[in-house]
Amino acid sequence: MKKIEAIIQPSKLEEVKQALIGIGVDGMTAIEVRGHGRQKGHKEIYRGHEYVVDLLPKLKLEIVVADSRVEEVVETLMRAARTGRIGDGKIFISHVEDAIRIRNADRGEAAL
Amino acid sequence: MDSFAVVLLSPEVAAAGDLTGRLEALERALSAAQSSADNAWMLTSAALVLLMTGPGLALFYGGLVRRKNVLATMMHSFILMAVASVLWAVVGYSLAFGGSGRFLGDLRFAFLSAVGNELQGTIPHATFVVYQLMFAIITPALISGAFAERIKFSAMLLFTALWSLLVYYPLAHMVWGPGGILNAFADGRIPCLDFAGGTVVHVSSGVSALVCALYLGKRLGYPSEAMKPHNLVMSVTGACLLWVGWFGFNAGSALAASRQAASAFLATQLGAAAATLGWMLAEWLKSGKPSMLGAITGAVAGLVAITPASGFVRPMPALVIGFAAGVLCFYMVAVVKHRLGYDDSLDAFGVHGVGGTVGAILTGIFATRAVVDPTSERAFGWVDGNPVQVLYQLAGTAVAWVLAAAGTVVSLKICDRVVGVRVEPEHEIQGLDLSLHGEEAYSYET
């Protein structure tokens, strides 16, 4: 199993979600986060006082899937989350040791 | 004339036998009708002025602070609705409006004894007391913008009580009280025109705010840490309520539902409008973007500046006063403050001190009998051919500056001795909502 963490533009959530549901991804977790990569922040001015906001609001989606589905999910994510502009986000993939469904103690891919 | 016809037809007049009796009954009925009309407007105005403090100012200031201090900041405004009212009933009203001293009233109305529903002019005495009370509430509440996010609650309570006694009651008496030295309508030695509180409310609170900001020092982390407003939607809502309430503040200061009240109402609207545009344009030119925060701050600056002038000026001067205040207050808040480096958290000085001073001086130029009473012989401002009025305005403003600064220093020193003014650094970092009041504004668990 692999965990796919996708950091995306918050405005892209709905599109990404629909695309993932479309390819049959059963579960996902969305977390509101702040951060930046190569995209630097922006400037805000309140009554002449300048603030540089360098941690921008982003959305992190966590999806755990069977190894065989990773490429398909990544492609879908890239297609739905991409605007082509700086700040579109990143995808990280890592290995998942095990998964357990709390309700009935299913384990491994059966718990996904 | 409609009310006159009603009076003529009233059974009371018809029943009063002879001509003299009928005339007397007619006069009584007429003055009762006028009194009712004036009283209705003045009670409405009193409620409008209270609306300026809570929710108006509480929302305006509350939105500008960080989320950890929003309740403590709103508490400043709200608790003054209680503290200033009690103080007003005990001694405040009497010290401000009792007797005919030059600098301070006496205790003839202490505990509001001898205050009932008897008429003062055309309105009941009680109406006058409660209307003026609303001004005594909002004035110290305005100062709270300067010490927000770092003052102890106990110190704030003590400070505002002392400040009311040392600054507000004397100044209100000098400008508006019988025999007051700055009273332009009771033979004051320095006749200073202040229709609705340019010096009494805004210069006094604004200058006191500056002194408080200097005395308390900067907030921890200012200016390197981000201290941006946590909720501008609150501030916009608050500013709109301030704007609406200000009609009671200015047009109500005619103390009657009169023609002067109507022109004050119009001048208030125009002053706020011109200042909104003035601030917005200045900000747009300097910073590149017209901000919502800028627009509402400009509106408040214009409302401040038109306050002393509202019942004395024609519509076009109202636009000039508003526009000047919008531009100057922007420059003060966005440029000068940062150069001087003091931390007036919510810009009470930049808006109220500067706007009030600008308005007070321009009142001396633009005040005209045409608005007050076209049949009067009296020359009001420079436009009436009375340039010396500008000097009186400067003198009156100077008195307000000095009294406010001195009274604030004394009040702060006493507070420092008794309870200590500033919160502990760890409390400031934690936020005053939790450390002083034991609660949080926004709960994420529920």
Side-chain angles (χ1 to χ4, degrees), chain B residues 382-412:
Chain B
W382 200 337
V383 294
D384 270 3
N386 182 29
V388 75
Q389 185 60 42
V390 179
L391 296 179
Y392 288 138
Q393 297 300 110
L394 283 169
T397 308
V399 170
W401 269 75
V402 171
L403 179 63
T408 302
V409 170
V410 172
S411 303
L412 286 169

Short mmCIF file of all heavy atoms in Angstrom, two decimals, chain B residues 382-412:
data_model
loop_
_atom_site.label_atom_id
_atom_site.label_comp_id
_atom_site.label_asym_id
_atom_site.label_seq_id
_atom_site.Cartn_x
_atom_site.Cartn_y
_atom_site.Cartn_z
N TRP B 382 -14.88 82.39 9.64
CA TRP B 382 -14.19 83.27 8.69
C TRP B 382 -15.10 83.63 7.52
O TRP B 382 -15.13 84.77 7.07
CB TRP B 382 -12.91 82.59 8.21
CG TRP B 382 -11.91 83.52 7.62
CD1 TRP B 382 -12.14 84.76 7.07
CD2 TRP B 382 -10.49 83.31 7.55
NE1 TRP B 382 -10.96 85.32 6.65
CE2 TRP B 382 -9.92 84.45 6.92
CE3 TRP B 382 -9.63 82.26 7.92
CZ2 TRP B 382 -8.55 84.58 6.69
CZ3 TRP B 382 -8.27 82.40 7.66
CH2 TRP B 382 -7.74 83.54 7.06
N VAL B 383 -15.86 82.65 7.00
CA VAL B 383 -16.75 82.93 5.87
C VAL B 383 -17.83 83.95 6.20
O VAL B 383 -18.39 84.57 5.32
CB VAL B 383 -17.42 81.64 5.32
CG1 VAL B 383 -16.40 80.70 4.71
CG2 VAL B 383 -18.22 80.95 6.41
N ASP B 384 -18.09 84.13 7.50
CA ASP B 384 -19.04 85.17 7.92
C ASP B 384 -18.33 86.50 8.16
O ASP B 384 -18.93 87.46 8.63
CB ASP B 384 -19.72 84.76 9.24
CG ASP B 384 -20.99 83.96 8.99
OD1 ASP B 384 -21.30 83.70 7.81
OD2 ASP B 384 -21.67 83.60 9.97
N GLY B 385 -17.03 86.55 7.90
CA GLY B 385 -16.26 87.76 8.16
C GLY B 385 -15.72 87.82 9.58
O GLY B 385 -15.51 88.91 10.13
N ASN B 386 -15.48 86.67 10.19
CA ASN B 386 -14.97 86.64 11.56
C ASN B 386 -13.71 85.76 11.63
O ASN B 386 -13.73 84.68 12.22
CB ASN B 386 -16.07 86.12 12.50
CG ASN B 386 -15.62 86.11 13.96
OD1 ASN B 386 -14.78 86.93 14.36
ND2 ASN B 386 -16.16 85.18 14.74
N PRO B 387 -12.61 86.22 11.01
CA PRO B 387 -11.41 85.36 10.93
C PRO B 387 -10.84 85.01 12.30
O PRO B 387 -10.20 83.96 12.44
CB PRO B 387 -10.42 86.21 10.12
CG PRO B 387 -10.92 87.60 10.20
CD PRO B 387 -12.41 87.52 10.34
N VAL B 388 -11.09 85.84 13.29
CA VAL B 388 -10.52 85.58 14.61
C VAL B 388 -11.05 84.27 15.21
O VAL B 388 -10.44 83.68 16.09
CB VAL B 388 -10.77 86.78 15.56
CG1 VAL B 388 -12.22 86.82 16.02
CG2 VAL B 388 -9.83 86.74 16.75
N GLN B 389 -12.20 83.82 14.68
CA GLN B 389 -12.76 82.56 15.17
C GLN B 389 -11.77 81.41 15.00
O GLN B 389 -11.72 80.48 15.80
CB GLN B 389 -14.08 82.24 14.45
CG GLN B 389 -14.80 81.01 14.98
CD GLN B 389 -15.17 81.16 16.45
OE1 GLN B 389 -15.61 82.22 16.89
NE2 GLN B 389 -14.94 80.11 17.23
N VAL B 390 -10.96 81.47 13.95
CA VAL B 390 -9.96 80.41 13.73
C VAL B 390 -9.00 80.36 14.91
O VAL B 390 -8.59 79.27 15.36
CB VAL B 390 -9.20 80.64 12.40
CG1 VAL B 390 -8.16 79.55 12.18
CG2 VAL B 390 -10.19 80.67 11.23
N LEU B 391 -8.64 81.53 15.42
CA LEU B 391 -7.73 81.57 16.58
C LEU B 391 -8.41 80.99 17.82
O LEU B 391 -7.79 80.27 18.59
CB LEU B 391 -7.29 83.01 16.86
CG LEU B 391 -6.45 83.66 15.76
CD1 LEU B 391 -6.09 85.09 16.13
CD2 LEU B 391 -5.18 82.84 15.52
N TYR B 392 -9.70 81.33 17.99
CA TYR B 392 -10.44 80.75 19.12
C TYR B 392 -10.48 79.23 19.00
O TYR B 392 -10.35 78.51 20.00
CB TYR B 392 -11.87 81.29 19.17
CG TYR B 392 -11.96 82.74 19.63
CD1 TYR B 392 -12.83 83.63 19.00
CD2 TYR B 392 -11.21 83.21 20.71
CE1 TYR B 392 -12.93 84.96 19.42
CE2 TYR B 392 -11.30 84.53 21.12
CZ TYR B 392 -12.16 85.40 20.47
OH TYR B 392 -12.26 86.69 20.89
N GLN B 393 -10.65 78.76 17.76
CA GLN B 393 -10.69 77.29 17.57
C GLN B 393 -9.35 76.67 17.93
O GLN B 393 -9.28 75.62 18.57
CB GLN B 393 -11.02 76.96 16.11
CG GLN B 393 -12.40 77.41 15.64
CD GLN B 393 -13.53 76.80 16.43
OE1 GLN B 393 -14.19 77.51 17.19
NE2 GLN B 393 -13.74 75.50 16.29
N LEU B 394 -8.27 77.35 17.51
CA LEU B 394 -6.93 76.85 17.84
C LEU B 394 -6.72 76.84 19.35
O LEU B 394 -6.19 75.89 19.92
CB LEU B 394 -5.86 77.74 17.18
CG LEU B 394 -5.65 77.50 15.68
CD1 LEU B 394 -4.77 78.60 15.09
CD2 LEU B 394 -5.01 76.13 15.44
N ALA B 395 -7.18 77.93 20.00
CA ALA B 395 -7.01 78.03 21.46
C ALA B 395 -7.82 76.93 22.15
O ALA B 395 -7.30 76.25 23.06
CB ALA B 395 -7.46 79.41 21.94
N GLY B 396 -9.06 76.74 21.70
CA GLY B 396 -9.90 75.70 22.31
C GLY B 396 -9.30 74.32 22.12
O GLY B 396 -9.27 73.50 23.04
N THR B 397 -8.77 74.09 20.92
CA THR B 397 -8.15 72.80 20.64
C THR B 397 -6.90 72.61 21.50
O THR B 397 -6.65 71.51 22.02
CB THR B 397 -7.77 72.70 19.14
OG1 THR B 397 -8.93 73.03 18.38
CG2 THR B 397 -7.31 71.31 18.77
N ALA B 398 -6.14 73.69 21.67
CA ALA B 398 -4.93 73.61 22.50
C ALA B 398 -5.29 73.27 23.94
O ALA B 398 -4.62 72.44 24.59
CB ALA B 398 -4.17 74.93 22.45
N VAL B 399 -6.36 73.88 24.45
CA VAL B 399 -6.80 73.57 25.81
C VAL B 399 -7.15 72.09 25.92
O VAL B 399 -6.74 71.40 26.86
CB VAL B 399 -8.03 74.43 26.20
CG1 VAL B 399 -8.64 73.94 27.52
CG2 VAL B 399 -7.65 75.90 26.31
N ALA B 400 -7.86 71.59 24.89
CA ALA B 400 -8.24 70.17 24.91
C ALA B 400 -7.00 69.28 24.87
O ALA B 400 -6.92 68.28 25.59
CB ALA B 400 -9.16 69.86 23.72
N TRP B 401 -6.02 69.63 24.03
CA TRP B 401 -4.78 68.85 23.93
C TRP B 401 -4.07 68.78 25.29
O TRP B 401 -3.69 67.71 25.75
CB TRP B 401 -3.82 69.49 22.92
CG TRP B 401 -3.96 69.01 21.51
CD1 TRP B 401 -4.96 69.32 20.64
CD2 TRP B 401 -3.06 68.13 20.80
NE1 TRP B 401 -4.74 68.69 19.43
CE2 TRP B 401 -3.58 67.96 19.49
CE3 TRP B 401 -1.87 67.49 21.14
CZ2 TRP B 401 -2.96 67.16 18.53
CZ3 TRP B 401 -1.24 66.70 20.18
CH2 TRP B 401 -1.78 66.54 18.89
N VAL B 402 -3.91 69.96 25.90
CA VAL B 402 -3.14 70.03 27.15
C VAL B 402 -3.87 69.29 28.26
O VAL B 402 -3.28 68.48 28.99
CB VAL B 402 -2.89 71.50 27.54
CG1 VAL B 402 -2.29 71.59 28.94
CG2 VAL B 402 -1.98 72.17 26.51
N LEU B 403 -5.17 69.56 28.39
CA LEU B 403 -5.93 68.91 29.46
C LEU B 403 -5.94 67.39 29.27
O LEU B 403 -5.74 66.62 30.23
CB LEU B 403 -7.37 69.43 29.46
CG LEU B 403 -8.29 68.82 30.52
CD1 LEU B 403 -7.79 69.16 31.93
CD2 LEU B 403 -9.72 69.31 30.35
N ALA B 404 -6.13 66.95 28.03
CA ALA B 404 -6.17 65.51 27.76
C ALA B 404 -4.83 64.86 28.07
O ALA B 404 -4.76 63.80 28.72
CB ALA B 404 -6.56 65.26 26.30
N ALA B 405 -3.74 65.50 27.63
CA ALA B 405 -2.42 64.92 27.85
C ALA B 405 -2.10 64.87 29.35
O ALA B 405 -1.68 63.82 29.88
CB ALA B 405 -1.36 65.73 27.11
N ALA B 406 -2.33 65.98 30.04
CA ALA B 406 -2.01 66.03 31.47
C ALA B 406 -2.88 65.05 32.25
O ALA B 406 -2.39 64.28 33.09
CB ALA B 406 -2.20 67.46 31.99
N GLY B 407 -4.19 65.07 31.98
CA GLY B 407 -5.11 64.20 32.70
C GLY B 407 -4.80 62.73 32.47
O GLY B 407 -4.92 61.89 33.37
N THR B 408 -4.36 62.42 31.26
CA THR B 408 -4.04 61.02 30.94
C THR B 408 -2.79 60.56 31.67
O THR B 408 -2.75 59.45 32.23
CB THR B 408 -3.86 60.86 29.41
OG1 THR B 408 -5.06 61.27 28.78
CG2 THR B 408 -3.56 59.42 29.06
N VAL B 409 -1.77 61.43 31.70
CA VAL B 409 -0.53 61.06 32.41
C VAL B 409 -0.83 60.81 33.89
O VAL B 409 -0.41 59.79 34.46
CB VAL B 409 0.54 62.16 32.24
CG1 VAL B 409 1.71 61.90 33.17
CG2 VAL B 409 1.02 62.22 30.79
N VAL B 410 -1.59 61.73 34.50
CA VAL B 410 -1.90 61.58 35.92
C VAL B 410 -2.69 60.29 36.14
O VAL B 410 -2.37 59.49 37.04
CB VAL B 410 -2.71 62.80 36.43
CG1 VAL B 410 -3.21 62.56 37.85
CG2 VAL B 410 -1.84 64.06 36.37
N SER B 411 -3.70 60.04 35.30
CA SER B 411 -4.52 58.83 35.47
C SER B 411 -3.67 57.57 35.31
O SER B 411 -3.82 56.61 36.09
CB SER B 411 -5.64 58.81 34.42
OG SER B 411 -6.42 59.96 34.50
N LEU B 412 -2.77 57.57 34.33
CA LEU B 412 -1.93 56.38 34.11
C LEU B 412 -0.97 56.15 35.27
O LEU B 412 -0.74 55.01 35.69
CB LEU B 412 -1.15 56.53 32.80
CG LEU B 412 -1.95 56.35 31.51
CD1 LEU B 412 -1.13 56.78 30.30
CD2 LEU B 412 -2.42 54.91 31.35
#
